[in-house]
Amino acid sequence: MSTKKIETHRKILESAFRLLTERGYHGVGLEEVARDAGLSRQAVYLHFNSKADLLVATAQYLDSQVGTEEFLRPVFEAKDAVQAMDRAVEAYAAIEPLIYDAAIMIYAQRGFEPAAENAWQDRMEFRRQNVLRGITALEAEGMLAQGWNIEEASDFVWSLLSIHTYEYLVRERKWPIDRFIDRLRQVLHAAIVATPPKPAD
Amino acid sequence: MSTKKIETHRKILESAFRLLTERGYHGVGLEEVARDAGLSRQAVYLHFNSKADLLVATAQYLDSQVGTEEFLRPVFEAKDAVQAMDRAVEAYAAIEPLIYDAAIMIYAQRGFEPAAENAWQDRMEFRRQNVLRGITALEAEGMLAQGWNIEEASDFVWSLLSIHTYEYLVRERKWPIDRFIDRLRQVLHAAIVATPPKPAD
DNA sequence: TCCTCCACTTTACATAGTGTAAAGTGGAGT
DNA sequence: ACTCCACTTTACACTATGTAAAGTGGAGGA
């Protein structure tokens, strides 16, 4: 692809991102996206096969802009699995607001557009693998609470750290982000971290 | 409304429910819903103002069919707040599969259709009030874990008992419903139920 | 029995969006 | 000067929602 085409590609994605997140998937037509990017509607079809394709590409573009790895670095550098977990909650709370609009849009379209379903599954699987690593480490350090196994604890934590928990508590219930972080940590500690052996007396 | 019209109304709702849940909101047109109900497309507009209206009416119709109160009765008849909570988890796990399709459809449309947004908020508020009552009782019995207040504990439990937790764990991760119930109870006990005072020795 | 009402049909139309097709344009690179 | 190609322009096919209005047929009341 020529430099020019790549540049146009990016312009479409940025117009699409802004308009789609402002007004929702059905709230904007490709006509308007194209106009916003300074192009004809047909030009958009030279870059993306369909509106659904554009949505998915937009979400992936956003992901690349957000730089998830940066946020996750402290997690991997933690001194133990419990600290990693606490840091993961913080990272999660920092990333979620940035990707919320796009993620929810993908989620809402996943029932109708196979491309959106794939994008959603990819994202979920990525997250679940990260959680699985964390829980595996927790278990290896003997800090996974009794009564849990790695698989089920991972599933549960993955579900707890989903975009919907953020939506319910922060967006709907207006929790300040610090409360959100503290409460999630509190729950995770209580529910899946082993209580420390009695201090020797 | 005449008996005949009410009957037709119901027929439309049942056709709509089946087709919409089978193929999704955008997967069926009113043409097809009407045909399925043995009517012309225009007849549907004599009963519902728009497709969005029909969706909302369908979800409400389903709610009325499900009989949520029946499921919740054991919760209100529990001997204490902790037992009520355990029973609430069971009721929740019984109701969720029945309303899942319709609820998710309403959820997915809520960004586009104010009617769907209202229906969603109503449902959420109903649930949140129920949870709030439960947590208030828990606190009154001195069984709310330290570090929680009623408001925040309610928000958290409400979010944990959302349709999305069911979606993630049962639908996506294929948890058997019993495991789902057990794990949720386990988490709730660990996270928000007070540890009993040390038995006298 | 006749009349009226009304739920529903039929036909038609306006509007809006997605996606396809194909000829034309203008500028950048060789 | 020639070519390529990204993009424009115009046009069309298709599908859906929603509106409008005249017509039909049967049930219920006078």
Side-chain angles (χ1 to χ4, degrees):
Chain A
M1 261 200 296
S2 67
T3 323
K4 186 181 174 186
K5 188 158 185 183
I6 290 172
E7 183 58 20
T8 304
H9 202 86
R10 199 188 50 75
K11 262 199 317 206
I12 296 174
L13 287 174
E14 288 184 353
S15 293
F17 174 64
R18 190 158 40 74
L19 292 174
L20 287 173
T21 52
E22 266 172 17
R23 307 228 288 281
Y25 188 70
H26 297 297
V28 212
L30 294 185
E31 182 75 54
E32 202 173 350
V33 171
R35 203 187 323 129
D36 187 89
L39 296 166
S40 70
R41 187 171 68 95
Q42 295 320 300
V44 175
Y45 283 101
L46 296 176
H47 291 264
F48 305 95
N49 293 325
S50 67
K51 193 180 178 183
D53 257 36
L54 175 58
L55 172 65
V56 170
T58 301
Q60 281 161 355
Y61 174 67
L62 175 62
D63 275 352
S64 75
Q65 296 290 84
V66 162
T68 306
E69 321 76 41
E70 287 300 313
F71 289 101
L72 291 181
R73 183 161 313 145
V75 177
F76 295 115
E77 290 172 354
K79 70 178 201 296
D80 59 41
V82 173
Q83 191 185 61
M85 189 185 77
D86 284 339
R87 289 184 177 182
V89 170
E90 197 175 347
Y92 158 66
I95 292 171
E96 228 58 305
L98 304 177
I99 61 165
Y100 175 78
D101 290 311
I104 287 298
M105 210 147 44
I106 293 284
Y107 177 84
Q109 288 306 311
R110 82 194 187 111
F112 320 126
E113 302 287 355
E117 173 68 16
N118 289 342
W120 179 257
Q121 290 298 341
D122 281 357
R123 188 194 287 273
M124 289 300 99
E125 195 50 25
F126 172 73
R127 286 182 164 224
R128 216 174 58 77
Q129 289 304 327
N130 278 339
V131 171
L132 188 57
R133 268 194 291 278
I135 300 294
T136 303
L138 200 66
E139 201 269 348
E141 294 176 18
M143 293 301 285
L144 183 62
Q146 277 199 352
W148 284 102
N149 58 55
I150 293 178
E151 189 71 19
E152 295 178 18
S154 297
D155 285 348
F156 171 73
V157 172
W158 164 79
S159 138
L160 188 69
L161 298 188
S162 76
I163 189 100
H164 290 101
T165 302
Y166 169 79
E167 177 174 61
Y168 283 117
L169 296 178
V170 178
R171 297 274 163 149
E172 299 278 341
R173 299 304 306 156
K174 312 271 184 245
W175 280 22
I177 201 74
D178 286 342
R179 180 193 301 170
F180 179 65
I181 294 172
D182 290 344
R183 290 301 187 191
L184 282 187
R185 282 178 175 163
Q186 183 181 352
V187 168
L188 286 173
H189 278 267
I192 69 147
V193 175
T195 44
K198 289 176 197 146
D201 48 358
Chain B
M1 262 201 297
S2 69
T3 324
K4 186 181 175 186
K5 189 158 184 183
I6 290 172
E7 183 58 19
T8 305
H9 201 87
R10 198 188 50 76
K11 261 199 320 206
I12 296 173
L13 286 174
E14 288 183 354
S15 292
F17 175 64
R18 189 159 40 74
L19 292 174
L20 286 174
T21 52
E22 266 172 16
R23 307 227 288 280
Y25 188 71
H26 297 296
V28 210
L30 293 185
E31 182 75 53
E32 202 173 350
V33 171
R35 202 187 322 129
D36 187 273
L39 296 165
S40 70
R41 186 171 68 93
Q42 295 320 299
V44 176
Y45 282 101
L46 296 175
H47 291 264
F48 305 94
N49 293 325
S50 67
K51 193 180 180 184
D53 257 35
L54 176 58
L55 171 65
V56 170
T58 301
Q60 281 160 356
Y61 174 67
L62 174 63
D63 274 351
S64 75
Q65 296 291 85
V66 162
T68 306
E69 321 76 39
E70 287 301 312
F71 289 101
L72 291 181
R73 182 161 315 147
V75 177
F76 295 117
E77 290 171 353
K79 70 178 202 297
D80 58 42
V82 174
Q83 192 184 59
M85 189 186 78
D86 283 341
R87 288 183 177 182
V89 170
E90 198 174 347
Y92 159 66
I95 292 172
E96 228 58 306
L98 304 177
I99 62 164
Y100 174 78
D101 289 312
I104 286 298
M105 211 148 41
I106 292 283
Y107 177 85
Q109 288 305 310
R110 79 192 188 113
F112 319 126
E113 301 287 354
E117 173 69 16
N118 290 342
W120 179 257
Q121 290 298 341
D122 282 356
R123 190 194 287 271
M124 289 300 98
E125 194 51 23
F126 173 73
R127 286 181 164 226
R128 215 174 59 76
Q129 289 304 327
N130 278 339
V131 171
L132 188 56
R133 268 193 291 278
I135 299 294
T136 304
L138 201 66
E139 201 268 348
E141 294 176 19
M143 293 301 286
L144 184 61
Q146 277 197 352
W148 283 102
N149 58 54
I150 294 178
E151 188 70 18
E152 294 178 19
S154 297
D155 285 348
F156 171 72
V157 173
W158 164 78
S159 139
L160 188 70
L161 299 187
S162 76
I163 190 98
H164 290 101
T165 302
Y166 170 79
E167 177 173 60
Y168 282 117
L169 296 177
V170 178
R171 298 274 164 149
E172 299 280 340
R173 300 303 306 156
K174 312 271 186 247
W175 280 23
I177 201 73
D178 287 341
R179 179 193 301 169
F180 179 65
I181 294 172
D182 290 345
R183 290 301 187 190
L184 282 188
R185 284 179 175 163
Q186 182 182 352
V187 167
L188 285 174
H189 278 268
I192 69 147
V193 176
T195 45
K198 286 174 197 148
D201 50 356

